[in-house]
């Protein structure tokens, strides 16, 4: 139940550039915009409003001089520090914006209609004039070219067995001949430009292409993968439009469809089948859809539409609509109306790839606009009983209002809806405490409709009841009526044409006064407009809202909040500064918001939601960022808050740990709130409540106990938070409203002792009032039972962490059998009736049944509301059974399966099949094996079943052990074979009395599996001893670099020829691989070491320059991902492979490890020094692990007189080790180790230097990376050198 709130607008008007803009792209790292025209490219900075670069493509011959050229695509390439431009004439040009160098990297003779890069910028796709698709790498190397039109469906073609074929269906009045009629294809829409459209899935694994089929004339959507293999083709859809957008999350592909009387946005699955739609608020031929765009987090779909030329419509408009979905309903949240002619016509738009709710728009008159929205919940802010807890949801031409005080209606339903003549962009409730149910609606043409509650002379046609009321029902609900519509009078109407969302953050501060915010189109300033309702001459005329005064604020205002009690208004700037708006001041000025110490308040990070609250007597500003960081003034209180709301003296918050916490602000402080919200603190039962994952606060019903939460899927949940409940009960008791307090406590199962214990003196003085208000003997008795001793014992057993209901039932049973000792003692009947108030009757019945005491079962059943027909036949059936089978039936009925098989095992062998089925069904193998002796047939049957279960779970070795233990040797052999446990497999073969040939075959099978696991020595042992194949065994030992064992086996079998044919070549080849590996690692180590020293020097210079700042990188640290995966230089240069060496396995392992690294080695990246340390550490570790391997191969080289190769390897390895040992003190310096652990402190330190040091640590060395500053250990005692070579 949230709306999109406009935070800020950024404009750059009249950009000085020739020609007309055609398309644009964003350079997110630089914060600039690249705009293409028929003359070339320009780069502009919308913040400073200046042109950074100009690339004249026409002058270089890539575009015609006559201005007829067209740029079809622009893409900023981050890795290459260049911009890729594609022209309609067929050229693909790389532009270096630093050097202004242009390079034509490819040309298509037939021209290019679309250029589309994959999201990871690894691939580029071109759609050519010859109706082909060309897929290339990021280096513009062609991968494949395919025809854009394909006859085949694709690799994901559906398989049908003939069911549901058309000729087998009933066709009604059409007759059977309808089954054989040819399907007629409807041609493309009349306004379709017949150009192909391309869209990529968010992960870049697939892309979709929408093209007009030359045979049928209608559009089709085809899905291709990264290898340009066709996956699927869409089903025939009449009137399919050209717009196409694949949801980044990957679930749906959006397009449009023209129907006889409407236009829809339709969704396709990846397999080409339709999957849902929603209808646009236009008729079929009224508008055309220019484009569909999903934002980065897939939550908002932008629809770009344009009026079609008709005789009736003389003023054409262009529309940008923002749609969101919740509970399977699509809501129209924002409408931007532009002109379709002149300078304000949009020519291109795109979502920001980093900021999810930021939309960039480029208009024909060289006007650039940037809008940023965020989610907000529009709710009434009153705190008395007259406030109805209204929540308003924008849905196009409707405002859906839910009144939570009287009814909880799940969205998309509502209590009532307001029908507006224009689409709605903002809704605001009055901040007047007594008129909090009044609301105002700002629509797309800047007209405000004011709705007020109260008596209306006639029914209002613009207000329609929703999910309440109906025929024959009278609704006791105060429904607002339309008082008047007011047109906002701007000083310059041209501003509205250029920027349709001129006003934001609308606030209704007085009965006839509104506040609104606008941003300067030429500077970083904001305006606070005070708008007053002007009286019209007659009631029927439209009213006017005139801007009576404006306040200029230096900075961009992104939020405004108002306290209805104190009348305070707080403004937040984009840099976090908080200002107070002095609305009573004659000059209408603003001043900094100061804390009790007189220091100006400033949020460390901009907050998307702000509220005002009084904490410990001081008014404070509360803020929540889009990264769940919660601030009170400038203090960060928590970092895991998902939503919050302030009600009266309470602060309610939901957290990432799926809890809802409620704090009383009257006696709270910052420290107590921090302690209460810390993850290590276990809050008490009153302040904390578990909620469903992803729950968010919608509203709180004033002077009630209801808290409304919304789940991620859209449904609502009403909870009664204990802190709210107890606070409300105390208010009722203070006002002697005993009936309201009693009903609430009874409904929510709160101990009725609180009625007395809250204020014993007042209660005893007003006992008569209490009895008159309750006016029920049963309710008064219920209150008295809370004080009885026997019932207290029963309650203590029930309320334990693990309720002891069997003990409670036994005590009740004892009361039934024993006469009461005193006249006032509780009887069994009273105790049971009381017990039924505490425990659900069905749960109590089940526990009584679990005691196997039928007298107790009947006693509970008779006192409950159960029908005897429900339980008597079942109990009678149980009584006829043998005792053990009876208890088995009861336990199975109660789902106590472990007890059930225990009873069933005692029933005799004829019941074993039933027992085994239950064991298999409930996976009770371990429990069942304890019930039978190991030498019994039942034990073996259960073991075999257990082993088969483990085999299905791919737990082969445990399965083999279970089979072997019970004597199922054949099954055990299969299991040990599957897991490669060769010793156990051969043991099973011996017990199965395998012949010599069978053992040889088994040995070869085992050897193959062991080789797959790189256990060459084990494989050689099996081949030699069981298959008598020593030659293959020697080859396997060479593959596993077990040189000495291979040599031993050669001499054992006197096959000295193998030394010359296999052993010596293998050793020499391994020596070459080691040399290549050492060279690459040495080069990589030196390169990384050199770069690390440069990076550290740059960081020290930057740190010295920032000592007087407040850690500028701290705000940016959240922008960098810690999970980016890149390939380091060592990964590129250190690749080698040889089947006879274990080095190839290490190389593969290192490659996979490097691909999982979270730090980027790209020059200039925020954590480049950590990435270099990580890469250097890996080089050192890889060299250290080679010592034993080098020692073994040196011995073999010396043995076979390869002295030159041995000395070369020993010298290279020694040089590498010496280089590493010399470099360790330079790389892992003591200074950097200390800096990673503690900030810079001491008598000479200043507050700024300590803060800068602390922020530097946060940016450069997260806690998880502290281990990188510990130097790797080198074992100098390892004797790897061969002294014989010296």
């Amino acid at each position: 139940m949230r709306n999109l709130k406009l935070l800020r607008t950024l404009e750059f008007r009249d950009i000085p550039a020739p020609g007309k803009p055609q398309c644009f792209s964003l350079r997110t790292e630089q914060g600039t915009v690249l705009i293409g025209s028929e003359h070339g490219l320009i780069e502009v900075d919308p913040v400073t409003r200046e042109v950074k670069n100009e690339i004249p493509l026409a002058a270089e011959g890539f575009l015609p001089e006559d201005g007829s050229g067209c740029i079809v695509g622009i893409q900023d390439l981050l890795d290459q520090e260049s911009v890729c431009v594609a022209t309609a004439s067929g050229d693909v040009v790389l532009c270096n914006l630093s050097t202004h160098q242009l390079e034509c990297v490819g040309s298509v003779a037939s021209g290019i209609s679309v250029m589309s890069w994959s999201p990871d910028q690894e691939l580029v796709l071109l759609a050519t004039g010859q109706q082909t698709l060309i897929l290339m790498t990021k280096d513009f190397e062609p991968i494949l070219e395919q025809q854009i039109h394909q006859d085949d469906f694709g690799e994901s073609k559906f398989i049908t067995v003939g069911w549901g074929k058309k000729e087998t269906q009933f066709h009604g009045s059409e007759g059977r001949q309808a089954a054989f009629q040819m399907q007629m294809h409807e041609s493309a829409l009349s306004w379709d430009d017949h150009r192909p459209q391309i869209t990529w899935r968010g992960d870049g694994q697939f892309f979709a292409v929408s093209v007009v089929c030359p045979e049928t004339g209608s559009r089709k959507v085809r899905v291709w993968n990264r290898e340009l293999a066709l996956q699927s083709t869409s089903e025939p859809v009449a009137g399919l439009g050209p717009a196409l957008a694949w949801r980044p999350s990957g679930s749906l592909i959006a397009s449009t469809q023209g129907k006889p009387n409407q236009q829809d946005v339709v969704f396709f699955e990846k397999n080409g089948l339709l999957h849902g739609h929603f209808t646009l608020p236009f008729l079929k031929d009224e508008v055309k859809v220019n484009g569909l765009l999903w934002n980065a987090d897939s939550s908002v779909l932008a629809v770009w539409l344009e009026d079609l030329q008709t005789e009736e419509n003389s003023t054409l408009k262009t529309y940008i609509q923002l749609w969101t979905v919740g509970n399977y309903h699509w809501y129209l949240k924002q409408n931007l109306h532009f002109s379709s002619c002149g300078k304000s016509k949009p020519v291109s738009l795109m979502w920001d790839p980093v900021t999810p709710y930021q939309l960039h728009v480029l208009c024909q008159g060289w006007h650039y606009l940037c809008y940023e929205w965020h989610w907000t919940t529009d709710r009434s802010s009153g705190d008395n009983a007259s406030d109805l807890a209204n929540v308003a949801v924008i849905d196009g031409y409707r405002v859906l209002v839910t009144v939570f005080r009287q009814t909880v209606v799940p969205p998309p339903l509502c209590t009532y809806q307001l029908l507006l003549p224009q689409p709605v962009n903002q809704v605001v409730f009055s901040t007047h405490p007594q008129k909090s149910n009044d609301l105002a609606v700002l629509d797309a043409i800047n007209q405000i409709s004011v709705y007020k509650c109260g008596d209306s002379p006639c029914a209002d046609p613009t207000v329609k009841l929703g999910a309440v009321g109906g025929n024959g029902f009278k609704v006791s609900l105060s429904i607002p009526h339309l008082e008047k519509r007011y047109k906002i009078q701007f000083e310059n109407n041209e501003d509205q044409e250029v920027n349709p969302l001129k006003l934001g953050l609308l606030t209704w501060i007085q009965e006839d006064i509104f506040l609104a915010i606008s941003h300067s189109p030429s500077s970083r300033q904001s305006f606070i407009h005070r708008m007053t309702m002007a009286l019209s001459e007659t009631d029927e005329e439209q009213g006017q809202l005139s801007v009576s005064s404006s306040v200029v604020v230096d900075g961009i205002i992104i939020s405004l909040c108002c306290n209805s009690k104190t009348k305070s208004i707080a403004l937040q700037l984009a840099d976090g500064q908080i200002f107070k708006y002095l609305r009573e001041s004659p000059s209408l000025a603003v001043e900094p918001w100061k804390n009790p110490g007189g220091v100006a308040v400033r949020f460390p990070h901009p907050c998307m939601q702000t509220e005002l609250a009084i904490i410990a007597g001081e008014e404070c500003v509360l803020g929540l960022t889009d990264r769940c960081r919660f601030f009170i003034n400038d203090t960060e209180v928590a970092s895991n808050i998902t939503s919050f709301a302030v009600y009266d003296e309470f602060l309610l918050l939901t957290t990432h740990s799926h809890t809802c916490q409620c704090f009383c602000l009257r006696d709270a402080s910052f420290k107590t709130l921090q302690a209460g919200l810390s993850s290590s603190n276990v809050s008490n039962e009153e302040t904390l409540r578990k909620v469903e994952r992803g729950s968010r606060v919608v509203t709180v019903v004033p002077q009630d106990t209801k808290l409304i939460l919304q789940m991620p899927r859209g449904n609502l949940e009403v909870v009664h938070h204990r802190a709210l409940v107890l606070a409300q009960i105390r208010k009722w008791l203070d006002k002697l409203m005993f009936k309201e307090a009693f009903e609430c406590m009874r409904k929510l199962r709160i101990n009725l002792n609180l009625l007395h214990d809250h204020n014993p003196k007042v209660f005893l003085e007003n006992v008569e009032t209490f009895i008159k208000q309750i006016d029920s003997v049963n309710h008064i008795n219920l209150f008295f039972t809370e004080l009885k001793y026997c019932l207290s014992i029963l309650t203590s057993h029930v309320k334990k962490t693990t309720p002891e209901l069997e003990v409670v039932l036994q005590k009740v049973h004892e009361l039934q059998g024993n006469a009461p000792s005193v006249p006032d003692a509780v009887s069994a009947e009273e105790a049971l009736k009381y017990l039924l108030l505490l425990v659900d009757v069905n749960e109590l019945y089940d526990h009584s049944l679990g005691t196997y005491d039928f007298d107790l079962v009947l006693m509970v059943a008779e006192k409950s509301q159960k029908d005897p027909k429900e339980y008597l036949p079942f109990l009678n059936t149980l009584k006829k059974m043998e005792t053990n089978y009876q208890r088995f039936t009861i336990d199975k009925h109660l789902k106590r399966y472990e007890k059930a098989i225990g009873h069933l095992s005692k029933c005799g062998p004829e019941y074993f099949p039933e027992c085994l089925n239950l064991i298999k069904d409930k996976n009770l193998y371990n429990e069942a094996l304890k019930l039978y002796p190991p030498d019994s047939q039942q034990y073996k049957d259960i073991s075999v079943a257990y082993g088969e279960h483990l085999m299905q779970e791919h737990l082969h070795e445990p399965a083999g052990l279970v089979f072997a233990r019970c004597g199922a040797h054949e099954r055990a052999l299969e299991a040990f074979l599957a897991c490669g446990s060769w010793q156990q497999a051969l043991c099973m073969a011996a017990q199965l009395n395998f012949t010599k040939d069978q053992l040889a075959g088994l040995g070869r099978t085992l050897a193959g599996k062991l080789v797959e696991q790189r256990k060459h020595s084990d494989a050689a042992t099996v081949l030699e001893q069981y298959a008598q194949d020593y030659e293959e065994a020697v080859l396997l030992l060479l593959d596993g670099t077990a040189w000495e064992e291979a040599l031993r086996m050669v001499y054992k079998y006197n096959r000295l020829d193998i030394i010359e044919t296999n052993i010596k070549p293998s050793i020499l080849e391994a020596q070459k691989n080691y040399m290549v590996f050492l060279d690459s690692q040495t080069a990589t180590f030196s390169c990384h070491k050199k770069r690390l020293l440069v990076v550290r020097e740059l960081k020290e210079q930057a740190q010295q320059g920032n000592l007087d700042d407040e850690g500028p990188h701290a705000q940016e640290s959240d922008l960098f991902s810690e999970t980016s995966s890149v390939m380091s230089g060592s990964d590129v240069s250190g690749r080698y492979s040889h089947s006879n060496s274990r080095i190839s396995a290490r190389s593969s392992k290192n490659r996979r490890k490097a691909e999982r690294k979270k730090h980027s080695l790209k020059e200039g990246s925020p954590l480049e020094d950590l990435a270099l340390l990580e890469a250097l550490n890996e080089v050192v570790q890889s060299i250290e692990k080679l010592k034993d391997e080098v020692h073994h191969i040196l011995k073999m080289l010396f043995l076979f007189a390869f002295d030159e190769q041995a000395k070369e390897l020993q010298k290279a390895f020694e040089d590498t080790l010496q280089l590493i040992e010399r470099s360790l003190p330079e790389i892992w310096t003591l200074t950097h180790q200390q800096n990673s652990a503690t900030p810079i402190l001491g008598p000479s330190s200043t507050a700024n230097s300590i803060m800068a040091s602390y922020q530097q640590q946060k940016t450069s060395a997260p806690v998880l990376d502290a281990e990188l500053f510990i130097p790797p250990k080198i074992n100098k005692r390892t004797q790897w050198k061969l002294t014989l070579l010296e």
Side-chain angles (χ1 to χ4, degrees), residues 17 157 472 772 1107 1235:
K157 185 175 182 179
K772 287 182 179 178
L1107 284 179
N1235 287 348

Side-chain angles (χ1 to χ4, degrees), residues 699-723:
T699 191
V700 183
V701 180
Q703 304 302 318
D704 202 335
T705 61
K706 286 189 289 189
L707 168 64
I708 315 299
L709 301 174
Q710 186 168 29
M711 309 302 112
R713 58 186 178 272
N715 60 309
L716 301 178
E717 182 178 343
V718 180
V719 300
H720 299 266
H721 200 290
R722 201 162 192 82

Side-chain angles (χ1 to χ4, degrees), residues 567-586:
K567 308 296 183 184
S568 299
I569 298 176
L571 310 167
Q572 180 195 187
L573 302 188
D575 60 0
Q577 292 185 71
I578 307 297
F579 285 87
K580 178 182 287 187
Y581 175 71
L582 306 176
R583 61 179 177 181
E584 303 298 336
S585 172

Side-chain angles (χ1 to χ4, degrees), residues 983-1251:
Q983 295 97 333
Q984 292 286 1
L986 291 169
C987 292
M988 294 300 105
Q991 295 195 53
L992 291 170
N993 300 317
F994 269 31
T995 63
K996 188 176 182 181
D997 292 340
Q998 288 176 318
L999 277 176
L1002 177 62
R1004 293 188 181 280
T1005 304
L1006 284 170
K1009 288 190 173 292
L1010 291 169
V1011 169
E1012 292 175 2
Q1013 299 172 4
R1014 303 198 64 82
K1015 297 179 180 178
H1016 295 85
S1017 297
D1018 291 343
T1021 301
V1022 173
L1023 284 179
E1024 182 200 8
Q1025 297 183 7
Y1026 291 91
Q1028 286 75 45
D1029 189 350
Y1030 65 86
E1031 292 184 2
E1032 185 65 25
V1034 170
L1035 295 178
L1036 290 182
L1037 290 170
L1038 295 178
D1039 286 346
T1041 67
W1043 319 107
E1044 297 179 42
E1045 179 63 16
L1047 195 61
R1048 182 195 69 81
M1049 197 173 293
V1050 165
Y1051 280 106
K1052 176 181 177 181
Y1053 293 99
N1054 197 24
R1055 286 294 306 277
L1056 304 184
D1057 58 303
I1058 297 178
I1059 295 176
E1060 298 296 332
T1061 59
N1062 293 89
I1063 293 181
K1064 288 184 178 180
S1066 180
I1067 292 172
L1068 291 174
E1069 183 67 20
Q1071 188 266 353
K1072 292 179 182 178
N1073 288 335
Y1074 280 118
M1075 291 298 298
V1076 171
F1077 178 68
L1078 290 174
D1079 289 343
S1080 67
Q1081 293 297 87
T1082 303
T1084 300
F1085 187 86
S1086 301
C1087 178
H1088 287 345
K1089 172 190 168 185
K1090 182 179 179 182
R1091 177 60 187 170
L1092 179 62
L1093 298 178
V1094 173
V1095 171
R1096 283 180 174 171
E1097 183 178 355
L1098 293 174
K1099 286 210 168 188
E1100 289 176 2
Q1101 294 174 1
Q1103 187 175 2
Q1104 291 297 325
N1106 290 334
L1107 284 179
D1108 295 330
D1109 299 332
E1110 295 185 10
H1113 299 292
Q1115 296 186 7
E1116 300 175 4
S1117 60
D1118 286 341
L1119 300 178
F1120 302 115
S1121 170
E1122 295 184 354
T1123 57
S1124 57
S1125 176
V1126 296
M1127 184 171 289
S1128 66
S1130 61
D1131 303 316
V1132 177
S1133 60
R1135 297 289 176 260
Y1136 60 94
S1137 175
H1138 182 61
S1139 61
N1140 293 336
S1141 174
R1142 287 171 55 199
I1143 306 174
S1144 61
R1146 177 174 291 106
S1147 174
S1148 176
K1149 181 179 179 182
N1150 286 344
R1151 187 183 304 115
R1152 292 193 300 271
K1153 183 178 180 181
E1155 288 169 356
R1156 293 194 301 267
K1157 288 199 301 184
K1158 63 182 179 181
H1159 304 128
S1160 172
L1161 285 170
K1162 180 182 176 182
E1163 291 191 6
S1165 63
L1167 303 178
E1168 185 185 358
D1169 54 342
L1170 297 187
L1172 290 167
L1173 278 176
E1174 191 175 19
L1176 288 166
N1177 194 319
E1178 289 181 4
V1179 173
V1180 174
Q1181 296 294 343
S1182 64
I1183 297 299
E1184 177 69 16
K1185 291 176 183 177
L1186 280 183
K1187 287 182 177 179
D1188 288 338
E1189 298 181 25
V1190 170
H1191 181 66
H1192 286 300
I1193 195 171
L1194 287 175
K1195 290 193 295 183
M1196 299 307 296
L1197 289 167
F1198 180 82
L1199 180 64
F1200 292 113
F1202 296 128
D1203 292 0
E1204 183 179 348
Q1205 290 87 340
K1207 289 179 180 179
E1208 182 186 17
L1209 177 58
Q1210 182 161 298
K1211 178 67 167 58
F1213 194 64
E1214 186 174 18
D1215 291 345
T1216 303
L1217 285 175
Q1218 290 177 355
L1219 171 65
I1220 291 174
E1221 290 175 4
R1222 289 196 309 269
S1223 304
L1224 285 182
E1226 299 179 53
I1227 298 171
W1228 284 276
T1229 62
L1230 183 62
T1231 303
H1232 285 88
Q1233 294 179 49
Q1234 291 175 345
N1235 287 348
S1236 69
T1238 56
I1240 300 174
L1241 302 174
S1244 61
S1245 300
T1246 63
N1248 286 337
S1249 68
I1250 295 172
M1251 194 63 187

Side-chain angles (χ1 to χ4, degrees), residues 29 274 354 379 568 849 925 1155:
E29 290 190 354
L274 284 171
V354 177
R379 51 181 171 243
S568 299
L849 191 62
Y925 300 102
E1155 288 169 356

